[in-house]
Amino acid sequence: MTGKLAALERWVNEAAALARPARVHWCDGSDAEYRELVRQMLASGELLGLNPDTHPGCYLHRSHPSDVARVEHLTYVCTRERDDAGPNNHWLPPAEAHAKMDALFDGCMAGRTMYVVPYCMGPIDSPLARCGVELTDSPYVVANMRIMTRMGEAALARIGREGRFVKGLHSIGELDPERRFIMHFPEELSIKSYGSGYGGNALLGKKCHALRIASWQARAEGWLAEHMLIVGIETPRGDTHYIAAAFPSACGKTNLAMLIPPEGYRRDGWKVWTVGDDICWMRPGADGRLYAINPEAGFFGVAPGTSAASNPNALATVAHDAIFTNVALTADGRPWWDGLPGAPAFDWQGRPYDPANGPAAHPNSRFTVSARQCPTWSPHAEDALGVPLSAIVFGGRRPALLPLVMEARDWTHGVLMGAAMGSETTAAATGAVGVLRRDPMAMKPFCGYHYGDYFAHWLSFDQPGAKLPKVFHVNWFRKDAEGKYLWPGFGDNLRVLEWMIARVEGRLRGRETPVGILPAADELKLDGLDLPPAARHELLALDIPGWRAELAAIGQDLEAYAPRLPDRLRREQQRIAAALAAAAAAQAA
Ligand code: SAT
Ligand code: MN
């Protein structure tokens, strides 16, 4: 190889000299290659064939039972200066991290094949897209990367033209949690991941490249790499508004991205177009608007809860040519999880199903599937220049206080809303579930640099001439005193998006409050919805003492990022705290 691919070849040779695989295979991304990988994995037992009549081209993978989620406590950002990684990341000096990882990689691929996986994050002809190469000894990872990215020859050709790519070295190692680390070297655009074959730990194009490394690159180059879905809402007038929305893992991003409008809305001509369900790269265009691409080519979605009621589009998407990981199995070889008809015969570990062993499908079980199979896949999802954003939405699981929807009064307030995001933890990461954690912009596990610098970078988009999207915060997860959800969610979330669009188009006035603009009485269309008046009130009520405590907590939590916390953000928090104090005084008077 010559020219710009020589550096790639040198790095592949170095990695092979370290890991000492029996063979090196350069992936071309072809159908024939995918079929051959599947054939080998069926033979080795890494994949099981599913019922070919109900699920043609579908396979089941069971991961090691100790390897079922991202491992945030073993994930590091290794910058030369500790402060550049920030208190939001685990850190090691790069030399120490390399030494630690190289000792693990030493000879680890003996007898195995090392796959060279060139990939492109984003449409292959997009100026916003970025390439990488993952070296891995896991054929399961290769098969998933082929679905999740533009993998193979075209990506290699682009790398040959550009010369620049993110280097990712991965081995499943012994799948030993004691010998498992995910290390990022943003200054070198490189990643080393050892000891896990699961999702975000192992499919290095996803969280490692498209968020942690990309957020670093984005800061240097003037764009944003975010943990957001992208959805297009087509109104009965025929305009499509694109919305990017950040929610923590397993909070319904895939469901919102594939939303089915309620009956009446469908009749009126509303349509929803899916552009992405997890990651959004965005950059100001020549007209001052923010343009977004989905760097991924597939969905790695949470299976449990995906049902005909919650997300029929996702079910249709995974009806063929999909890889399932850690779901349960019916007696006739269909994948199964809570929300599907039928009954599990085998649990996610392959044991005959026994409720005493816990849920049949693992709570973080997943499907991997090409986005092109989605019935609502947007005809603009692969536009090289991306789609223009009308709104950015932040949200989390908040059982109390946070209203169904509120709008930021300007960009600075919007950045504070994002920075103040909190959510109850879910099964997408190891650790306790259901604990409130502050998760700014849903990037806590994924921001590849100091959160203080990250907030400043967000604020920097507020330039003269910028036509920035409006910023909103939503909470689909409010509960009543009995712990029941107050809002039906799913398709009915379109009612909230409709209000946002009316605000974007300047057609509704809203109601100004100290914490943001809420829908005024009767502005949210709730017809056809069985929502008791008490719930309606509760969802949009303003609990001033509760909010004052929240603002104090936000102020305190943000100080963790001092001295790099932008003063503009601190002043915004103080402005709202003061407005709440004034409202409390007025109420008392
Ligand atoms: O495991 S992944 O990081 O790919 C999924 C998620 O947590 O969002
Ligand atoms: Mn995610």
Side-chain angles (χ1 to χ4, degrees):
M1 261 172 224
T2 54
K4 291 185 170 166
L5 285 176
L8 168 59
E9 199 176 21
R10 244 188 340 269
W11 169 63
V12 171
N13 288 339
E14 275 165 30
L18 175 65
R20 298 195 292 284
R23 291 165 293 279
V24 175
H25 173 87
W26 288 70
C27 294
D28 62 15
S30 64
D31 288 342
E33 180 182 78
Y34 181 79
R35 279 197 303 273
E36 175 56 21
L37 280 169
V38 166
R39 193 194 62 73
Q40 286 173 25
M41 286 190 280
L42 288 170
S44 69
E46 277 162 280
L47 287 185
L48 290 175
L50 293 172
N51 188 319
D53 300 323
T54 61
H55 289 77
C58 290
Y59 305 95
L60 169 65
H61 172 74
R62 294 190 180 119
S63 74
H64 191 278
S66 76
D67 185 30
V68 294
R70 281 182 291 100
V71 283
E72 291 172 15
H73 59 297
L74 303 174
T75 300
Y76 288 71
V77 170
C78 308
T79 46
R80 282 190 299 271
E81 297 297 326
R82 176 175 203 143
D83 271 354
D84 289 341
N88 44 304
N89 282 300
H90 300 295
W91 177 84
L92 273 180
E96 195 182 313
H98 278 302
K100 192 180 179 96
M101 296 306 280
D102 291 355
L104 293 170
F105 277 105
D106 191 0
C108 73
M109 295 186 190
R112 306 175 61 90
T113 300
M114 181 172 92
Y115 298 92
V116 181
V117 185
Y119 63 86
C120 179
M121 301 309 292
I124 195 88
D125 57 346
S126 171
L128 283 74
R130 293 287 184 278
C131 290
V133 178
E134 176 166 358
L135 309 180
T136 179
D137 56 4
S138 163
Y140 166 81
V141 165
V142 178
N144 276 271
M145 286 291 284
R146 180 171 185 270
I147 297 172
M148 295 303 297
T149 73
R150 283 83 175 172
M151 184 275 258
E153 259 166 13
L156 188 65
R158 182 164 168 162
I159 292 168
R161 289 194 300 276
E162 295 180 337
R164 233 160 91 99
F165 62 96
V166 171
K167 300 185 181 80
L169 177 57
H170 169 255
S171 171
I172 55 172
E174 304 80 17
L175 293 175
D176 174 358
E178 301 296 318
R179 289 163 56 82
R180 179 176 296 163
F181 293 101
I182 314 349
M183 302 274 187
H184 304 74
F185 306 90
E187 288 145 336
E188 305 165 21
L189 300 186
S190 87
I191 304 156
K192 289 182 177 174
S193 166
Y194 188 90
S196 167
Y198 197 84
N201 301 329
L203 312 178
L204 300 187
K206 198 173 179 52
K207 303 297 164 76
C208 298
H209 176 164
L211 288 177
R212 297 195 192 93
I213 300 286
S215 61
W216 178 283
Q217 275 187 299
R219 181 183 173 220
E221 299 171 6
W223 48 285
L224 288 163
E226 298 299 323
H227 192 204
M228 293 176 172
L229 67 95
I230 310 166
V231 67
I233 310 291
E234 187 177 328
T235 71
R237 292 175 300 284
D239 326 306
T240 301
H241 285 279
Y242 293 94
I243 297 176
F247 299 86
S249 297
C251 286
K253 283 201 300 296
T254 307
N255 291 343
L256 187 58
M258 298 181 189
L259 179 148
I260 303 231
E263 173 75 53
Y265 279 76
R266 255 178 320 201
R267 229 186 4 247
D268 292 346
W270 290 82
K271 292 199 184 95
V272 173
W273 300 106
T274 308
V275 180
D277 80 328
D278 195 39
I279 302 180
C280 166
W281 287 359
M282 50 198 177
R283 176 202 258 181
D287 59 359
R289 297 186 72 185
L290 271 188
Y291 283 77
I293 62 163
N294 171 11
E296 300 191 285
F299 307 120
F300 184 66
V302 181
T306 305
S307 69
S310 69
N311 195 340
N313 277 325
L315 274 193
T317 308
V318 302
H320 64 96
D321 299 292
I323 298 175
F324 295 88
T325 300
N326 292 343
V327 300
L329 209 54
T330 64
D332 64 347
R334 280 176 295 128
W336 192 89
W337 53 80
D338 268 321
L340 291 190
F346 299 95
D347 72 9
W348 64 278
Q349 299 188 58
R351 301 171 298 194
Y353 175 58
D354 177 352
N357 287 331
H362 188 277
N364 194 35
S365 55
R366 299 269 171 168
F367 51 76
T368 318
V369 69
S370 166
R372 290 188 179 165
Q373 292 182 197
C374 178
T376 52
W377 186 233
S378 163
H380 297 290
E382 306 197 58
D383 283 5
L385 296 178
V387 293
L389 294 181
S390 295
I392 286 178
V393 177
F394 297 114
R397 282 177 191 271
R398 294 294 301 257
L401 190 68
L402 276 281
L404 179 61
V405 59
M406 56 184 184
E407 178 191 324
R409 66 171 200 170
D410 57 18
W411 186 254
T412 304
H413 183 201
V415 174
L416 181 70
M417 269 184 185
M421 258 176 73
S423 193
E424 286 189 338
T425 50
T426 69
T430 46
V433 167
V435 181
L436 186 74
R437 161 170 104 158
R438 201 70 67 188
D439 188 354
M441 277 84 167
M443 286 285 279
K444 180 85 210 303
F446 308 121
C447 181
Y449 61 103
H450 195 298
Y451 251 147
D453 295 337
Y454 171 80
F455 299 143
H457 182 50
W458 263 86
L459 290 169
S460 76
F461 286 82
D462 196 358
Q463 297 282 339
K467 298 197 186 70
L468 293 168
K470 272 187 180 290
V471 180
F472 298 86
H473 188 284
V474 300
N475 180 19
W476 316 137
F477 299 96
R478 273 296 285 277
K479 289 181 176 170
D480 66 13
E482 273 89 58
K484 282 211 338 263
Y485 287 114
L486 285 172
W487 178 249
F490 303 113
D492 287 309
N493 291 338
L494 183 57
R495 299 170 186 275
V496 175
L497 302 183
E498 181 187 17
W499 180 77
M500 291 178 191
I501 288 170
R503 288 288 305 156
V504 166
E505 293 180 346
R507 289 186 287 102
L508 287 177
R509 294 176 56 89
R511 167 167 77 103
E512 299 250 7
T513 80
V515 299
I517 300 154
L518 270 64
D522 302 327
E523 282 187 356
L524 262 191
K525 273 207 210 123
L526 298 174
D527 46 297
L529 203 58
D530 179 22
L531 197 64
R536 290 175 195 222
H537 174 79
E538 183 77 9
L539 282 165
L540 295 173
L542 194 69
D543 164 9
I544 289 176
W547 268 106
R548 292 185 74 187
E550 171 79 0
L551 258 285
I554 291 168
Q556 221 167 48
D557 292 343
L558 287 179
E559 287 309 323
Y561 307 111
R564 296 200 187 190
L565 181 72
D567 217 33
R568 211 164 120 197
L569 214 54
R570 192 180 279 121
R571 284 198 306 270
E572 187 64 10
Q573 180 271 344
Q574 289 162 354
R575 178 187 70 77
I576 297 172
L580 283 164
Q587 235 173 28

